[in-house]
Amino acid sequence: MAVLAGCAPDPAPEAAPQAAPSPSAADPAAVDAAAAVAWMNGFCGAVKDFIDGNNKMPSASGETVEAIKKSTSDQLGHYAAILTKTVDSLGALPAAPVPAGDAARQEFLAKYTSARDKTVKAKAGLDAAGKNDTAAQGRAVDGLIAAQKDTHGALDPVAAVLGAPELKTAAATAERCRP
């Protein structure tokens, strides 16, 4: 007599537990609304503080080349300070609740960093120039204009996230996103 043992098929392996799906644009409700509002407040706030500081920029003035150089240097210093604050604020933001937010932050951070670097370079060149070096004054003004062009593409944080419904909704209630 033959005994057949172990002929039953192996039981099916247990399915590995599945991780919860990450929030996506397809499921805006899955994103924590409070976290999205807080993130948008930080993002909009960084840009709003830049705009407020820019509106307080001193104007270049003076009767002599030396006086104009000093006022231009002061103007560049002010601009560099507000750009540095903006770069620091954007860099300090936590990860966005959706990838579109991080992409927008990186784009804005690149523009403000470029503008800051151009401004710092323009100020250093002007400050190192002789007191009657009018060419240095022209280079400094060109540097400031180039820096301002960089920031012009990063003045509307809400427009930068319109493709992310979660952030668009959050921006509507985020206090720092209001004009």
Side-chain angles (χ1 to χ4, degrees):
M1 170 184 236
V3 176
L4 298 173
C7 292
D10 289 337
E14 288 185 35
Q18 299 216 347
S22 61
S24 70
D27 187 10
V31 173
D32 179 355
V37 169
W39 191 87
M40 283 303 300
N41 259 328
F43 186 51
C44 290
V47 176
K48 189 171 192 167
D49 289 346
F50 168 77
I51 293 168
D52 290 345
N54 189 53
N55 290 338
K56 295 174 185 165
M57 177 138 41
S59 60
S61 61
E63 296 293 323
T64 66
V65 172
E66 189 175 1
I68 293 169
K69 177 185 172 190
K70 182 184 178 334
S71 69
T72 302
S73 178
D74 291 346
Q75 189 178 40
L76 289 164
H78 174 84
Y79 204 56
I82 61 173
L83 287 164
T84 296
K85 181 180 177 188
T86 305
V87 167
D88 291 348
S89 295
L90 290 171
L93 283 174
V98 295
D102 285 327
R105 178 177 63 128
Q106 288 303 333
E107 178 186 341
F108 276 47
L109 191 55
K111 289 178 180 182
Y112 284 107
T113 300
S114 175
R116 180 204 54 205
D117 294 349
K118 288 174 182 172
T119 303
V120 168
K121 181 180 178 185
K123 180 174 177 14
L126 180 63
D127 291 348
K131 68 179 183 176
N132 293 316
D133 187 345
T134 57
Q137 177 75 23
R139 289 189 302 273
V141 170
D142 289 346
L144 178 59
I145 291 168
Q148 289 172 331
K149 285 181 181 177
D150 286 344
T151 64
H152 287 173
L155 295 176
D156 189 350
V158 176
V161 298
L162 288 179
E166 307 88 347
L167 296 179
K168 181 180 172 185
T169 299
T173 58
E175 185 178 328
R176 304 279 332 256
C177 292
R178 295 184 191 133

